Amino acid sequence: MLKHILKMAWKRKKANSLILLELLAAFLVLVGVSAILLHNWGLYNKPLGFNYQNTWSVQFYPSASWEEPSRVRGVNILNMLSQMEEIEGAYTLTFSPFLGMRWNDDVVYKGKTFNANLNGSSDGAPLGIGMKLLKGRWFGPEDDGQSYQAVVINKNLSDEIFGDENPIGKEVDVVKYDQEESEVRRVVGVFEDYRQQGEFSTGSHQMFLRYDVNNTKAWFNAYALVMKPGVPAEFEEKLMSQLNSAAPDWDFEVQTWSQLRRLHINNNMKNVILVAVVGGFLMLMVCFGLFGVLWQNVTRRTREIGLRRALGATGANVQGMIIMELVAFAILAVIVGTILLAQVPLLGVFEIFTWGMFFKSVLLSTVLICGLTALCAFYPGLMAARYDPAEALHFE
Amino acid sequence: MLKSYFILALKVLKRRKFYTFISLFGIAFTLSALMIVTSFYEDMVYPKGAEKHSERTLTVNRMAFYREDSSGGYLGSIGYALIKDYLYKMETPQYVSGYSNNSTTAGFLNGLKIESQLKRTDANYWRILDFDFIEGRPFGDSEDKQGDYVAVINRTTKKQYFGQQSALGKTIKTGGVSYTVIGVVENESETNEVASADIWIPMFATKKQHFLTNHMGGFGAMLQADEASNVQKIKDEYATTIANYQYPMQKRFPKAYSNAESKFENFARNFFRNHTKKDSGANKLIGLIVLAMVLFMFLPTINLINLNISRIMERSAEIGVRKSFGASSKTLIGQFMVENLVLTLIGGLLGFVCTYFALMFISSSGLIAYANFTINFRVFGLGLLLITAFGLMSGLLPAIKMSRLNPVDALKGAI
Amino acid sequence: MIRIENTNKTYQTENIETLALRDISMHIKKGEFISIMGPSGCGKSTLMNVIGLLDKPCSGDIYIDEQKIESYRDKDIAHIRNNKIGFIFQNFHLINDLSVRDNVELPLLYRKLSSKERKRLALEALDKVGLSGRVDHYPTQLSGGQQQRVAIARAIVGKPQILLADEPTGNLDSAMGDEVMGILNSLNQNDETTIIMVTHDEEKARRTGRIVRIFDGQLLH
């Protein structure tokens, strides 16, 4: 039966070439849309590497450029914050996640240069915000007064720089953009991840520098406050007034990480939703179109259908044939489309369209387009199944 | 003749309600999508509101300090030092204005947090941009230089803080600082990066003075020519300025790249992440947009062609009769094309209505703050052009196919 | 083989009720070759449709192969049509997009047969109508007589006991018509196939075993 349907479809390929073209275009659109959706869904589901739920960010802007009195004041404020009853832990953290800020610099190991996303924090911050340690240890007071300066890096960066080597205890040169000389840093630990750019960002190379706030050279401009569970949003006003009284001439900006995350997700979802809506409308239009074409097609083939019924086909046979014919076209379009699309990962045109993504999106789109075409053909097929064979045969 | 075609077309469409419906759906959807894109583009290239003189205004908002081998370094906004020491000294622009990027600031009113976008500007900002003042006035040079704590706020902020009353002379406290309100302006769409903010304060109304010597980040500038023909001169002078620009870290990052460009050129440069080339890539971007639109129209067009062919096949008997009674292929094609154009025109009208509502929805949904997209004559014209192209493209092939239909086959209808 | 008892059929079109068959009873024995004659619109085609189970009578009973047709459920009658009845039409009703062999195989698609078996049966049927040389041709490449012979091969490929032929020679010239009649006669004699043929042609009717005349939906005896 399948062979028969394929034979008929092949024989009528010229008359149906435009339907084939439409299905091909629809398939390509589906693959594009599903690749975008799958890509974002995959990113969204990857662990962030930290807890955003109870953490707040406080950025501050000193009234003049950074000097020793500012640092002392910053440390005093930090101490004041750690003693507030609502706050579980207060740390300095240069870049809170979801803000879209980044600081990229070069890390040199054995003459090879790698690019890393730098961040800096006081002792205890990584653990406090729920980051997961994989190897070694977090930096802490034991690094005070040592000959080296401690850093922790994420797994991505560790794999990139050290490969199979054990990264713990290795020393790298960090070249800061605003300094002439590079600094030697010692890796003391490897953590899972810290996706600073949020849920929709791709893998990055993270390095956390240890900032010893008591060092006279220390510089920092933001705090991360881990709240005790159940602290309400209204706490912000109290926090603000405390901060303002501690440093009346400084500017403070308080944001909860949950809030920042929501904004980040909203911003990214806008595009994803737009793609999904446009894709959905296009598919709806294609479905309507195919439905209309098939309806007419069935009417035109009334006598053929009547003949098949006379020769012993049941109504279900006829409906099955109408559906299978369109699905066969869809599969033909899928084959052509897959060959065309395979060029994309082959040539590496789009970064997100890897072979893995290619297979996933092609598979999903194939299922979708077969399902959609079967759905479009269902009613016209039913109509054909209901033809009265005696009348259909005499249909002129 | 045309009139009878037209009436006949309407009758046919009315009789075939299902086809008419699905065709109209496709046409209206496609054209709305294209028109929405067009009005976004329109809003960017020819903004309404305060940025309406954009054709003779250039903005500078990107600075790149790169290594000798252009392998990257700093990329971000310009610093105030560039504005102070170089841009204010430029000769070709009529006005030069520096402004800060927006920062989020929070005020509290009866325990409720109100977040606002704060922008610090000089006095020229108000000369270059054409704000619509509901009440009061902008701040001038002396207020800017003395750093008076005065503020211009937008309509929404005024409503949040003061409700229906006049805001003039009242105090607004945000970020722990109090300002006296001297003016209220209309909301500006978030898409107009330069003009959009909730609260504007003088550049020097701050205790933080270290921005004066900063070469990286936080600021933008506008350079306005007295007439559009002088824009190129400003671009050239800016290029010379950057060539002579002295900045810290010059030893490590000897290459400075920055351009004074129109809004669209800026957008194209950011889109292609092209910060070193002289050409902004604006033409390439236009080409890309047109290509994307054509590709987008591909699927709906084939869909409509398929539907049209079906529509013709269904009427093959009618066509057979007409042909055997002597109708020429030309008249048949004409009849069909008119039918299809009438269909696309109705679809296009529906598309306009959909676009209107969609834009209204986007503007009011807050997806883009203070957005105010409208269909203007240019969008309307382009829309009509698209409709006609769409109608001709989707109608021609089926019409030709119809005219070639053999009257005998058409009458008999083979299995 | 076929028994029709007190069968009535009416068509309802808007307000007019047309009586197509009036209380018809007839008995056709196995191996008979009968022709049905009558003017246009007399009910011949309706009778054929009722016998071929393409149409359901309003009242009365039909027996095919001694079995009463009780259920007109699509699946049941499709099965009977497929196994026991073969159809031949005036205008052949071949599918132009299928080759001669594929056309002949058509009824076998609705049985559970391997494609090898289908092919064997199709070639056998084509051999019987003398067209084994045209297996891979397409209907449009054949003459009218050849097309009708393909249609006959299609009708007999499933080895039905009954052949229903609705004016099989109506669209053919006399030479081709004779050829088709010859094949039908040999099928009737060699394979004991029961054949019911509708015709306008007195001369062709005389070459069958029995002539049944029908007028205004009634049998004339």
Side-chain angles (χ1 to χ4, degrees):
Chain A
M1 196 70 203
L2 189 66
K3 208 173 139 198
H4 174 74
I5 286 169
L6 288 176
K7 222 184 258 179
M8 292 269 293
W10 183 249
K11 201 60 197 164
R12 288 174 180 171
K13 63 184 181 299
K14 210 178 149 208
N16 290 320
S17 56
L18 280 166
I19 294 183
L20 198 63
L21 195 63
E22 177 167 359
L23 284 168
L24 177 63
F27 177 70
L28 295 180
V29 169
L30 265 179
V31 171
V33 171
S34 53
I36 290 170
L37 297 185
L38 283 171
H39 174 72
N40 281 293
W41 177 246
L43 289 178
Y44 182 77
N45 279 320
K46 272 209 308 211
L48 281 171
F50 58 88
N51 296 331
Y52 61 85
Q53 284 89 347
N54 285 321
T55 313
W56 294 26
S57 128
V58 178
Q59 300 231 53
F60 60 86
Y61 306 95
S63 52
S65 56
W66 188 255
E67 288 150 10
E68 181 59 13
S70 306
R71 185 191 64 81
V72 174
R73 201 188 227 178
V75 174
N76 289 341
I77 293 172
L78 184 64
N79 291 335
M80 173 198 87
L81 290 169
S82 359
Q83 269 147 34
M84 288 178 81
E85 56 175 333
E86 291 89 348
I87 295 174
E88 183 140 332
Y91 316 97
T92 73
L93 178 66
T94 308
F95 296 110
S96 284
F98 311 115
L99 282 171
M101 297 199 277
R102 65 173 82 225
W103 163 22
N104 271 55
D105 257 319
D106 292 346
V107 174
V108 183
Y109 179 66
K110 285 187 181 167
K112 270 170 111 181
T113 305
F114 303 88
N115 202 278
N117 217 317
L118 269 59
N119 203 342
S121 79
S122 58
D123 292 343
L127 185 65
I129 62 172
M131 284 162 60
K132 285 181 196 68
L133 190 68
L134 300 179
K135 267 183 217 163
R137 60 175 175 85
W138 294 120
F139 45 65
E142 59 264 53
D143 297 310
D144 274 344
Q146 301 285 352
S147 57
Y148 60 84
Q149 287 183 289
V151 295
V152 288
I153 57 178
N154 74 343
K155 192 171 174 305
N156 265 349
L157 185 60
S158 169
D159 289 349
E160 178 88 7
I161 299 180
F162 302 107
D164 294 335
E165 284 180 66
N166 180 11
I168 308 300
K170 295 269 168 11
E171 294 197 330
V172 292
D173 287 339
V174 175
V175 190
K176 285 195 190 169
Y177 73 100
D178 54 351
Q179 283 157 23
E180 304 286 324
E181 307 276 306
S182 63
E183 296 170 8
V184 178
R185 299 278 179 161
R186 177 178 292 181
V187 178
V188 297
V190 176
F191 58 92
E192 187 186 65
D193 210 351
Y194 175 74
R195 295 173 72 199
Q196 190 174 313
Q197 307 304 329
E199 257 102 345
F200 290 96
S201 61
T202 45
S204 65
H205 298 140
Q206 296 284 344
M207 174 178 276
F208 267 63
L209 310 175
R210 174 174 189 250
Y211 279 177
D212 174 10
V213 289
N214 295 316
N215 186 321
T216 48
K217 282 186 192 159
W219 174 88
F220 48 93
N221 69 335
Y223 303 115
L225 309 178
V226 179
M227 296 292 156
K228 291 197 172 126
V231 173
E234 290 84 66
F235 173 59
E236 185 179 336
E237 196 174 357
K238 181 180 165 193
L239 181 66
M240 256 320 219
S241 69
Q242 293 263 12
L243 290 169
N244 279 329
S245 57
D249 55 339
W250 285 15
D251 279 353
F252 293 94
E253 195 176 331
V254 177
Q255 280 153 310
T256 70
W257 285 13
S258 305
Q259 221 175 359
L260 291 170
R261 176 175 171 270
R262 208 164 35 244
L263 268 173
H264 164 75
I265 289 181
N266 282 352
N267 279 334
N268 282 280
M269 284 305 275
K270 268 184 214 171
N271 300 330
V272 175
I273 290 173
L274 184 73
V275 167
V277 165
V278 171
F281 266 108
L282 278 176
M283 286 310 123
L284 192 64
M285 189 176 68
V286 168
C287 282
F288 278 157
L290 288 176
F291 183 79
V293 168
L294 225 58
W295 181 306
Q296 197 279 327
N297 206 358
V298 163
T299 324
R300 196 153 40 108
R301 289 168 63 186
T302 305
R303 279 196 301 171
E304 180 200 323
I305 290 159
L307 171 75
R308 286 174 185 275
R309 295 297 300 279
L311 298 182
T314 61
N317 285 148
V318 169
Q319 189 183 13
M321 181 184 76
I322 301 286
I323 293 173
M324 267 160 72
E325 269 178 9
L326 192 65
V327 175
F329 274 127
I331 289 170
L332 199 60
V334 164
I335 292 167
V336 177
T338 306
I339 293 168
L340 288 179
L341 282 168
Q343 313 307 313
V344 179
L346 216 57
L347 302 173
V349 190
F350 292 115
E351 224 172 284
I352 71 159
F353 206 70
T354 56
W355 281 111
M357 185 52 82
F358 168 79
F359 286 117
K360 267 191 276 180
S361 54
V362 162
L363 194 72
L364 181 66
S365 309
T366 306
V367 172
L368 277 175
I369 203 156
C370 289
L372 284 178
T373 44
L375 200 71
C376 293
F378 186 84
Y379 188 71
L382 194 66
M383 219 168 59
R386 284 186 185 152
Y387 281 158
D388 181 0
E391 259 176 73
L393 273 173
H394 294 275
F395 186 88
E396 293 282 335
Chain B
M1 191 64 183
L2 209 63
K3 198 184 158 196
S4 69
Y5 268 2
F6 187 79
I7 290 167
L8 190 65
L10 279 180
K11 274 187 186 154
V12 168
L13 295 177
K14 209 176 138 195
R15 203 176 63 212
R16 308 194 180 264
K17 289 198 182 66
F18 179 66
Y19 277 117
T20 311
F21 164 71
I22 49 184
S23 305
L24 286 182
F25 172 80
I27 297 165
F29 163 71
T30 312
L31 292 174
S32 314
L34 293 177
M35 276 192 286
I36 289 169
V37 172
T38 318
S39 31
F40 274 57
Y41 171 81
E42 176 76 21
D43 181 75
M44 181 160 51
V45 180
Y46 308 99
K48 297 171 293 292
E51 292 185 18
K52 57 170 99 64
H53 298 306
S54 59
E55 79 288 346
R56 56 189 171 94
T57 310
L58 298 174
T59 46
V60 177
N61 58 16
R62 279 268 174 242
M63 173 65 74
F65 295 128
Y66 282 177
R67 292 193 185 85
E68 191 60 60
D69 59 357
S70 295
S71 69
Y74 169 83
L75 170 66
S77 313
I78 58 172
Y80 190 75
L82 175 73
I83 302 174
K84 179 169 65 86
D85 298 337
Y86 293 88
L87 301 189
Y88 282 145
K89 292 174 184 155
M90 281 174 71
E91 281 160 5
T92 45
Q94 186 185 21
Y95 293 117
V96 174
S97 161
Y99 56 87
S100 77
N101 293 341
N102 285 359
S103 61
T104 309
T105 158
F108 292 91
L109 196 71
N110 311 325
L112 270 166
K113 184 178 178 181
I114 301 174
E115 281 198 346
S116 308
Q117 295 293 317
L118 185 78
K119 195 187 263 310
R120 283 159 50 210
T121 78
D122 57 13
N124 273 349
Y125 182 85
W126 304 101
R127 296 191 181 102
I128 293 178
L129 297 176
D130 203 347
F131 275 95
D132 208 351
F133 273 83
I134 300 167
E135 51 183 351
R137 56 172 183 87
F139 40 82
D141 286 309
S142 62
E143 282 158 320
D144 170 34
K145 290 289 168 301
Q146 292 158 22
D148 288 347
Y149 282 79
V150 293
V152 174
I153 60 177
N154 71 355
R155 182 191 278 277
T156 302
T157 309
K158 182 216 147 195
K159 209 175 149 203
Q160 283 172 329
Y161 279 91
F162 309 109
Q164 301 301 323
Q165 300 160 356
S166 164
L168 291 190
K170 298 223 171 68
T171 298
I172 187 167
K173 189 177 176 196
T174 185
V177 184
S178 299
Y179 306 91
T180 310
V181 176
I182 57 165
V184 180
V185 293
E186 265 310 337
N187 294 333
E188 273 297 322
S189 167
E190 194 184 15
T191 53
N192 300 345
E193 206 184 307
V194 177
S196 163
D198 297 312
I199 303 173
W200 292 260
I201 58 167
M203 187 66 87
F204 290 91
T206 172
K207 278 168 272 172
K208 299 166 280 181
Q209 299 295 325
H210 62 291
F211 72 92
L212 284 168
T213 53
N214 213 331
H215 285 262
M216 284 191 290
F219 291 85
M222 285 183 284
L223 311 171
Q224 189 171 52
D226 45 1
E227 50 188 290
S229 57
N230 286 333
V231 162
Q232 189 55 43
K233 282 187 198 150
I234 300 182
K235 284 188 177 184
D236 295 343
E237 194 192 350
Y238 186 74
T240 327
T241 307
I242 289 300
N244 298 323
Y245 180 29
Q246 305 279 319
Y247 51 96
M249 299 170 295
Q250 203 160 4
K251 230 159 69 193
R252 211 158 97 75
F253 299 106
K255 296 202 161 163
Y257 297 100
S258 182
N259 294 282
E261 285 174 332
S262 72
K263 270 185 87 153
F264 188 68
E265 286 168 330
N266 265 315
F267 180 80
R269 204 174 271 288
N270 282 328
F271 182 83
F272 291 117
R273 295 189 189 158
N274 148 29
H275 301 292
T276 54
K277 288 198 204 94
K278 201 163 181 325
D279 176 50
S280 65
N283 291 332
K284 203 167 130 196
L285 185 61
I286 291 178
L288 214 66
I289 293 173
V290 171
L291 183 74
M293 281 169 112
V294 169
L295 280 181
F296 178 76
M297 275 169 86
F298 182 67
L299 190 55
T301 311
I302 303 185
N303 193 47
L304 205 60
I305 290 176
N306 273 330
L307 274 170
N308 281 336
I309 289 178
S310 283
R311 212 147 56 88
I312 286 169
M313 288 307 169
E314 197 177 14
R315 289 156 62 192
S316 59
E318 173 200 326
I319 292 158
V321 173
R322 278 169 190 258
K323 276 197 147 181
S324 49
F325 282 101
S328 73
S329 294
K330 229 164 131 189
T331 30
L332 282 174
I333 292 181
Q335 160 72 33
F336 189 77
M337 289 306 278
V338 169
E339 221 175 281
N340 201 50
L341 278 175
V342 168
L343 188 71
T344 19
L345 270 176
I346 299 172
L349 281 179
L350 266 176
F352 272 116
V353 175
C354 293
T355 310
Y356 177 77
F357 282 109
L359 289 177
M360 230 165 67
F361 171 76
I362 294 169
S363 301
S364 66
S365 67
L367 280 172
I368 298 167
Y370 311 131
N372 182 24
F373 299 111
T374 46
I375 304 180
N376 65 11
F377 282 110
R378 246 190 307 261
V379 178
F380 188 82
L382 193 80
L384 276 181
L385 199 74
L386 283 172
I387 291 168
T388 322
F390 200 70
L392 289 174
M393 274 197 302
S394 61
L396 203 60
L397 189 73
I400 290 170
K401 208 173 154 117
M402 168 172 90
S403 69
R404 294 219 180 115
L405 218 59
N406 182 338
V408 180
D409 281 350
L411 274 174
K412 207 170 70 182
I415 284 193
Chain C
M1 192 73 208
I2 301 167
R3 223 163 69 225
I4 301 171
E5 288 177 355
N6 312 98
T7 298
N8 282 291
K9 175 79 192 175
T10 53
Y11 288 109
Q12 192 84 38
T13 44
E14 288 181 23
N15 299 324
I16 315 147
E17 199 182 69
T18 328
L19 200 60
L21 297 179
R22 266 178 227 217
D23 199 28
I24 286 191
S25 295
M26 67 190 288
H27 186 209
I28 300 160
K29 285 197 268 308
K30 190 173 166 68
E32 253 196 300
F33 190 169
I34 72 168
S35 41
I36 300 175
M37 297 196 71
S40 289
C42 67
K44 295 182 307 247
S45 292
T46 312
L47 182 62
M48 289 291 266
N49 287 340
V50 165
I51 297 172
L53 306 182
L54 291 175
D55 225 343
K56 186 185 171 184
C58 298
S59 63
D61 296 325
I62 313 261
Y63 296 80
I64 302 244
D65 207 6
E66 309 310 324
Q67 272 183 312
K68 187 176 168 194
I69 306 300
E70 310 228 27
S71 128
Y72 273 84
R73 249 182 60 205
D74 179 41
K75 228 178 135 181
D76 302 330
I77 54 167
H79 184 77
I80 298 174
R81 278 204 297 264
N82 189 254
N83 283 283
K84 302 201 168 159
I85 306 170
F87 289 89
I88 300 164
F89 306 96
Q90 177 176 5
N91 45 10
F92 326 135
H93 284 326
L94 295 177
I95 298 178
N96 286 336
D97 291 324
L98 291 177
S99 70
V100 164
R101 170 157 80 84
D102 288 330
N103 264 295
V104 174
E105 277 187 22
L106 216 54
L108 304 180
L109 284 174
Y110 306 108
R111 296 187 189 179
K112 285 195 177 75
L113 284 176
S114 70
S115 64
K116 225 170 151 185
E117 186 66 6
R118 281 207 301 266
K119 187 178 173 186
R120 192 183 64 76
L121 287 168
L123 292 179
E124 194 183 300
L126 279 165
D127 196 38
K128 267 192 191 160
V129 298
L131 275 178
S132 16
R134 300 291 165 103
V135 173
D136 291 319
H137 283 62
Y138 282 86
T140 44
Q141 299 170 310
L142 303 177
S143 70
Q146 286 170 325
Q147 289 194 35
Q148 192 60 301
R149 276 148 66 192
V150 174
I152 295 172
R154 181 180 64 191
I156 61 171
V157 73
K159 303 206 161 69
Q161 292 147 299
I162 303 160
L163 273 189
L164 298 179
D166 192 354
E167 302 208 38
T169 58
N171 277 8
L172 303 175
D173 63 25
S174 64
M176 287 175 178
D178 284 342
E179 219 173 273
V180 166
M181 280 308 291
I183 294 172
L184 289 180
N185 275 321
S186 78
L187 283 171
N188 176 243
Q189 274 144 34
N190 302 342
D191 301 345
E192 287 211 322
T193 311
T194 313
I195 303 179
I196 303 160
M197 179 175 81
V198 169
T199 184
H200 275 111
D201 189 336
E202 215 41 75
E203 187 258 332
K204 299 261 160 40
R206 255 180 268 128
R207 291 171 65 176
T208 64
R210 173 154 69 110
I211 298 177
V212 174
R213 290 181 197 275
I214 188 165
F215 187 77
D216 236 1
Q218 282 176 301
L219 290 180
L220 302 179
H221 293 284

